[in-house]
Amino acid sequence: MSRTYLPVLLLMGFVVFNAILMIGLSHLTMRSRPTPVKQSAYESGIPALGEARERFSVKFYMVAMLFIIFDIETVFLIPWGAYFRNLSCAVPLTNGLCPSGQVSMFGLVEMLVFMAILIVGLVYVWKKGALQWD
Amino acid sequence: MGLFYTFHFYLFGVIAIISAVAFVTRRSPVAAALWLVNTMFCLAALYVMMDAQFIGAIQVLVYAGAIMVVFLFVVMLLNLGHASDVTDIVGGKTKLAAGLVGLLLLAEVFVLWKDDGAPAPVPAQQELEPGVIDQVAAPLFREYLLAFEITSVLLLAAIVGAVVLAKRRVT
């Protein structure tokens, strides 16, 4: 690893330091005079209704599941997109360019097959009404 | 490599281990999940240090992002109640099994570490541009093409499974 990531590390360190500083300072300077109103959960200014710990609908879970699946599809699309120039050439690239007449459909077709199988899933989800909230 | 590398390796490694221990010992499931996110971020940092930037980015996107969302939704779905109400329902047999598996993993790590008598063959260091993912993409889309295509069938099965389970009408 080179030192290319030093700025990222500095940013991370700054964020952690800043968070600790803000929480620490507010703890040091606060005067604790709790009242029941102050201790209630802040819900956009209106009194909170019931508990936060309710059972949530399974619909949220299904949205999250479908999100993971199509997220993984994206994981495959990113390296494919980055490598597409090499995949669509029958011979190795010369200076990052494909010699004329050597363009192949290999890269496009393999991803189309992959996408086609997943689109069957998308159509199934759509037809089942799983994307409908009711 | 050098001191810079070693320092950050131990920094992220120690944070990852502390977060993992906190993850299994917290009573509140949401707090446990957030500790797991911390572990994932440290693993991503370790991947980046190994010049596997793409895997590091995926680690954050998929594990710290998507999979943690599902964990939290499952916690909300099951509604375990207040952390103080949750009691350990795991019996002695399960604890014994967990302990044995833990010991086995520890033994495995020990064997791998002891086995390192001769210096491991260092792979030829290629001069890589940071962030290049050709090393991942080339084998994935050429040699392992069939596996890549079959992955889509696996994902399709997951889609159908999720819909069938979640859309079932309770009679």
Side-chain angles (χ1 to χ4, degrees):
Chain A
M1 189 189 101
S2 63
R3 298 198 173 205
T4 332
Y5 290 94
L6 195 60
V8 180
L9 276 175
L10 286 176
L11 181 70
M12 271 166 55
F14 177 74
V15 166
V16 170
F17 172 76
N18 214 357
I20 291 172
L21 186 76
M22 283 200 275
I23 295 171
L25 272 181
S26 69
H27 265 272
L28 281 177
T29 55
M30 76 174 180
R31 267 178 271 170
S32 178
R33 284 196 213 111
T35 64
V37 177
K38 278 188 196 169
Q39 294 209 305
S40 64
Y42 180 74
E43 176 49 55
S44 314
I46 57 166
L49 297 168
E51 273 272 294
R53 292 177 176 80
E54 291 175 9
R55 290 192 73 168
F56 281 75
S57 169
V58 73
K59 285 177 267 187
F60 290 98
Y61 174 70
M62 197 166 60
V63 169
M65 268 306 276
L66 294 176
F67 170 60
I68 286 196
I69 291 160
F70 290 106
D71 203 29
I72 291 171
E73 184 186 351
T74 319
V75 167
F76 284 105
L77 275 171
I78 294 167
W80 174 79
Y83 196 63
F84 180 69
R85 199 181 278 265
N86 296 65
L87 286 174
S88 58
C89 189
V91 292
L93 298 179
T94 46
N95 300 325
L97 289 171
C98 196
S100 60
Q102 296 290 342
V103 176
S104 89
M105 301 292 277
F106 177 68
L108 188 63
V109 169
E110 69 174 341
M111 188 45 88
L112 278 179
V113 172
F114 181 80
M115 297 285 277
I117 296 171
L118 277 170
I119 282 171
V120 172
L122 184 64
V123 169
Y124 172 77
V125 168
W126 201 304
K127 287 282 172 204
K128 269 278 180 183
L131 297 172
Q132 301 269 320
W133 198 246
D134 287 317
Chain B
M1 295 300 147
L3 193 66
F4 184 75
Y5 183 91
T6 317
F7 170 73
H8 287 102
F9 174 77
Y10 282 109
L11 177 73
F12 288 118
V14 165
I15 296 174
I17 289 169
I18 290 172
S19 308
V21 169
F23 163 59
V24 281
T25 52
R26 291 305 93 185
R27 271 188 179 266
S28 160
V30 176
L34 289 176
W35 280 110
L36 185 59
V37 171
N38 210 22
T39 311
M40 301 291 187
F41 270 110
C42 289
L43 291 185
L46 290 175
Y47 284 137
V48 170
M49 287 173 68
M50 290 191 286
D51 271 325
Q53 290 90 352
F54 177 64
I55 307 293
I58 293 304
Q59 176 82 10
V60 172
L61 271 179
V62 174
Y63 283 86
I67 290 183
M68 288 318 300
V69 170
V70 169
F71 281 6
L72 287 176
F73 277 145
V74 169
V75 168
M76 284 155 68
L77 194 70
L78 296 175
N79 187 22
L80 299 170
H82 275 277
S84 52
D85 300 340
V86 180
T87 48
D88 214 348
I89 55 162
V90 177
K93 267 185 190 168
T94 320
K95 278 183 178 161
L96 188 71
L100 280 177
V101 171
L103 274 179
L104 205 69
L105 281 173
L106 208 64
E108 210 170 284
V109 170
F110 187 71
V111 166
L112 284 175
W113 175 62
K114 274 304 251 192
D115 216 28
D116 224 24
V122 180
Q125 273 291 318
Q126 294 158 301
E127 278 302 313
L128 297 179
E129 271 182 73
V132 165
I133 57 177
D134 287 4
Q135 273 69 25
V136 178
L140 179 63
F141 295 114
R142 289 192 197 279
E143 281 113 86
Y144 302 108
L145 177 59
L146 184 65
F148 161 67
E149 299 290 2
I150 288 173
T151 310
S152 66
V153 180
L154 186 68
L155 290 174
L156 181 64
I159 294 172
V160 174
V163 172
V164 165
L165 284 176
K167 278 301 233 190
R168 188 187 294 161
R169 290 267 166 267
V170 182
T171 48

